[in-house]
Every structure is written in C-alpha cells, then in structure tokens.
Amino acid sequence: MAKILVAFFNCNKDKNNPDAMPIFYEAFVKGLDRAGNQVAVFSHSFFGIDFGKIDAKTATAIKQFEPDICIIFNNSFFDLSEVVDCPIVIYEVDSPRYFSNKDNIKKNPERFLYFIFQEDSRRTLKEDFGISESHIFYVPFFSEIYADSTIEQTTNISFIGSMISERTSQILQSFIQKNPTENEWEMFKSCLNELRRNPQVSSTELIYKYNITSELVARHLNLPELLMVLSGEKRLRVLSSVVELGMDLYGTENWQSTYYYDIDLNMSFINRKVYSLQHNQDIYNRSKIGINVSHLQATSGFPWRVMDIMASNACLVTDKHEDFDRLFGGVVIPTYDSASEAYMVCKELLKDEERRREIVMQCQEAINNNYRFKHLLPKLEEYSGVKLHI
C-alpha cells in the first residue's frame, strides 16, 4: 500500500455531491483505492494558471500526510519539489502547452517524472523543457465504463463535453479592435492555419516561418488561447453537422446559455449534471453512436472520451489520430476528416445495424484486453518505482 497525493483541475460543481469530479479522475482515484492505497485528493477550479508559493496550511497538510508519491495532472498544483521528498509525477491530460508552473519545471526538470498520453508530447518536453528521455513515459488512457445490454438504445448520437471556449475570445477581440492592416490580417491568418495543422508549433517558429514583422501580430500569438478558440470552432462545426440525425448533447451550461448560430444545437442540449462514471456509462450505453471531437492539441493521442465510448455499447465515431493503429491494431474505427464527412459516416452507421454492432464488439474487446485500470497499474508501478498494490 502507498500514500498517494493526487491533484488536478476540477471543472465540476454539484451541490448534491461535494466529491464530484470528471470521470477519468474518478476512475483513477477509485482504481488506486481498490488496489489498497490511501489517496489524498486536492482538486481546484483553476485551469492553466501558474500557482504561486504554497500556503502554510496546505504545505503542513501534505507533510503530515507523508505521501509516497505525488501525481499532478497537467502540473496543475503548487510546486511540491521542496515540500516532499518522494517522486512527483507530472501526468499529461491535455498537452504540455497547458502545464502550470512551466518555469519551475525548466529550473529543475529532472526532479519530476512525466507521464504522457501522446507521443507528440515527448519532443515538446525534451526540446522546450530540457527533460531527458529517461524521465518520460508513455501511458495511454484507460476506461472503467462497461457495456450494459439491458439498456435500450433510444438515442441516435450522443456527445458529452464542453464547448471548450466561449464565443468571444479576448485575444481575437483585442486584435480586431486594433484595426490591423490587410497585410497583418494575412500574417495572422497564416499563423492560425499553421496552428490548425501543427498544434505543437511555437510562437517563435511561427514568427520565423511566416516572417512576422508586425509587432501587433506577434503580440497576439497567444497560442494556448488561440488553440482553444480553434478547437471550439471545430467542435461546433462537427456537432452542428450531425445534430439533424438526432443528437443528445451534454456538458457545460454554456451549450444552453450561449447561441452558436445553430438553434438545433442549442435545443439538443440536455440540461442535466453529467460527469461521473455512472452518468457517462448510462448515456453511452443507450446511444447508437458516441461521437468524439478532439481538442486540436490532441494530435497523435486522443481524449479519454474515446476509450469510454469504445468500452460501451455505443459505436465510436471520431476524428483521426495516429495512435489508433498503435494501440488498437486491426480495429476499424469509423473516422472523419471534416464536418461533412462526420455527417456521412454517422448517417451510414445508423442505417447499418450489423456493421455498427461488429465495430462495437471489436472496440469492447480491445478495451477489455488492454486498457482497463488493472492494465495501467503495473505501468505506474514500474515507471514510478513505487508499489501501488497490496
């Protein structure tokens, strides 16, 4: 048994459940608990910020807990390098671009271990943070959702997720209000198109590649925020394209409170708290299709939503990712490259029950054989050097 500190950004608030947290973290914490560990959870509502000096109360609580290992998702917590002597794991769930406390990592990169869910992040960690290969470990996501054949499939398509970003963007609004010239617009557009193609690109690379001579353009290359905006645009286009096929939409309340120029999309939103393992399992099992629209920064890898859908009775439809072949071998996963293609793929699958069921069975087999928490635990032990089961 180990004492494990787990910290993460928590976007969920439920007055009826003070322990509400996203499905992946719930499954992760419960998996550690079932293995006989003592887990201390620190969650908060601050995404992508840099944390200052740890307060005395929190530092004292952590020291008294005496963790054997600390697991910090996206490094989204105080710097614990001088608070504890145990291994500290920075566990990627979005992208290194959204890690907190980047300067602290660069000052002492070898103090931490790095668990990544996509291979593209390996180069970023090595080149941008100075982290050695020996400290980086590939750890794909897992699912603890299970298929339930007793649930009738009454929903054609379901999507569970956030809007990613609000309709307005401070960085884009600021750029527009500065009255950029036509040449500056062209520079900025070139950078945005490159960011769509290569979400791992740096602002320095963009400036050199496109000869950005405008200080206005360079000042507005806030890539994390721009990625959020572009990811939101992509998600809107895809979901708008399939909504007429019959879709139930779940997630953050801005799906209902903000108009995105598609009234059918707003009307498809189910105003209900959805975050837990049970919530997701019930929704996917009663859906014929579970659609995934990834953030742009999920390049070779993909969101944990993918494996949750694969583990259920819903048929996964998703954008393409390089790691599919690596992780799932011969499983033929229906994918799309554009919003119009997403519509056609979903339309054909809804008409072909036999093909849909065959894909579902192959996906379930892949998850059951290789991507449950019981498969992840030995890797966590091997890479961290900490025994995590009785």
Side-chain angles (χ1 to χ4, degrees):
M1 181 191 81
K3 290 184 176 182
I4 307 170
L5 184 151
V6 176
F8 54 86
F9 160 70
N10 187 354
C11 59
N12 291 318
K13 294 180 180 179
D14 186 348
K15 63 182 181 181
N16 298 317
N17 179 14
D19 298 321
M21 64 181 74
I23 176 176
F24 179 79
Y25 300 127
E26 178 189 350
F28 189 86
V29 170
K30 285 183 176 179
L32 292 174
D33 182 70
R34 285 195 303 268
N37 300 288
Q38 185 177 349
V39 186
V41 176
F42 288 80
S43 70
H44 56 81
S45 58
F46 305 105
F47 180 79
I49 70 163
D50 283 341
F51 290 75
K53 182 177 176 61
I54 190 169
D55 61 279
K57 182 178 179 180
T58 303
T60 298
I62 292 172
K63 289 177 180 178
Q64 290 177 344
F65 180 61
E66 297 181 326
D68 298 303
I69 184 172
C70 299
I71 300 175
I72 316 297
F73 290 93
N74 277 356
N75 202 34
S76 188
F77 196 54
F78 297 105
D79 179 10
L80 300 181
S81 58
E82 296 182 1
V83 179
V84 299
D85 296 323
C86 65
I88 301 174
V89 174
I90 297 176
Y91 203 129
E92 176 195 25
V93 287
D94 286 294
S95 145
R97 198 182 292 279
Y98 296 100
F99 282 2
S100 297
N101 311 325
K102 293 184 181 72
D103 288 340
N104 291 341
I105 298 174
K106 293 175 182 178
K107 288 177 184 176
N108 193 10
E110 303 299 277
R111 174 63 179 90
F112 310 97
L113 300 173
Y114 305 86
F115 291 180
I116 58 175
F117 77 89
Q118 57 179 350
E119 277 297 339
D120 282 356
S121 297
R122 189 181 299 273
R123 180 178 66 88
T124 302
L125 291 177
K126 292 163 73 173
E127 294 181 0
D128 294 355
F129 293 88
I131 297 163
S132 64
E133 178 71 30
S134 62
H135 282 241
I136 304 172
F137 303 91
Y138 177 63
V139 181
F141 291 139
F142 67 95
S143 178
E144 286 298 292
I145 274 183
Y146 286 86
D148 186 346
S149 59
T150 66
I151 298 178
E152 182 182 0
Q153 290 185 305
T154 56
T155 301
N156 278 352
I157 303 171
S158 65
F159 178 80
I160 307 173
S162 70
M163 182 49 245
I164 301 178
S165 64
E166 294 287 353
R167 179 173 54 186
T168 57
S169 161
Q170 290 184 354
I171 200 72
L172 285 174
Q173 188 170 335
S174 170
F175 182 73
I176 293 169
Q177 290 174 347
K178 299 298 182 181
N179 295 317
T181 66
E182 182 178 348
N183 187 45
E184 286 173 327
W185 267 116
E186 289 301 318
M187 290 181 186
F188 196 62
K189 183 178 178 181
S190 295
C191 292
L192 292 180
N193 288 335
E194 181 67 25
L195 193 58
R196 286 189 180 96
R197 292 189 297 267
N198 178 18
Q200 306 296 341
V201 71
S202 68
S203 55
T204 301
E205 289 171 326
L206 288 173
I207 289 170
Y208 278 102
K209 182 171 182 177
Y210 294 101
N211 191 27
I212 305 301
T213 56
S214 165
E215 187 271 339
L216 174 66
V217 174
R219 192 172 70 248
H220 284 82
L221 292 179
N222 182 332
L223 302 192
E225 182 173 339
L226 291 174
L227 267 176
M228 287 287 191
V229 174
L230 296 176
S231 295
E233 288 180 357
K234 172 189 173 185
R235 185 163 287 183
L236 277 174
R237 290 192 183 102
V238 172
L239 296 181
S240 291
S241 74
V242 302
V243 69
E244 70 175 71
L245 297 174
M247 182 178 70
D248 285 350
L249 176 62
Y250 302 87
T252 49
E253 293 177 355
N254 58 350
W255 282 118
Q256 183 181 47
S257 60
T258 306
Y259 176 52
Y260 297 108
Y261 307 105
D262 187 338
I263 195 168
D264 290 335
L265 192 61
N266 289 88
M267 291 175 62
S268 71
F269 177 71
I270 309 298
N271 189 14
R272 193 169 80 235
K273 292 283 186 183
V274 169
Y275 54 84
S276 72
L277 195 154
Q278 191 64 55
H279 292 153
N280 284 254
Q281 181 168 288
D282 290 346
I283 290 169
Y284 289 140
N285 276 318
R286 68 168 171 264
S287 305
K288 296 176 182 178
I289 291 174
I291 194 165
N292 172 57
V293 191
S294 306
H295 293 230
L296 288 179
Q297 65 265 23
T299 48
S300 60
F302 46 82
W304 62 61
R305 179 190 303 108
V306 165
M307 288 191 177
D308 287 337
I309 296 171
M310 291 177 68
S312 74
N313 279 331
C315 180
L316 172 67
V317 173
T318 177
D319 37 20
K320 295 180 180 178
H321 297 273
E322 293 176 13
D323 284 353
F324 284 159
D325 289 339
R326 174 181 181 180
L327 296 178
F328 306 129
V331 179
V332 181
I333 296 174
T335 61
Y336 60 85
D337 280 323
S338 64
S340 59
E341 190 176 2
Y343 170 81
M344 292 305 301
V345 170
C346 290
K347 183 177 180 180
E348 292 302 315
L349 282 170
L350 289 171
K351 293 190 297 185
D352 194 340
E353 173 72 18
E354 184 176 350
R355 178 180 170 226
R356 200 172 70 246
R357 287 304 306 163
E358 181 180 348
I359 295 168
V360 167
M361 295 304 292
Q362 290 179 359
C363 288
Q364 289 176 1
E365 183 178 10
I367 299 301
N368 289 332
N369 289 344
N370 296 292
Y371 302 108
R372 295 296 186 185
F373 187 81
K374 66 181 181 182
H375 301 115
L376 173 66
L377 192 61
K379 294 179 181 179
L380 299 182
E381 290 185 317
E382 177 186 355
Y383 300 156
S384 69
V386 178
K387 185 177 180 181
L388 302 175
H389 72 281
I390 295 176

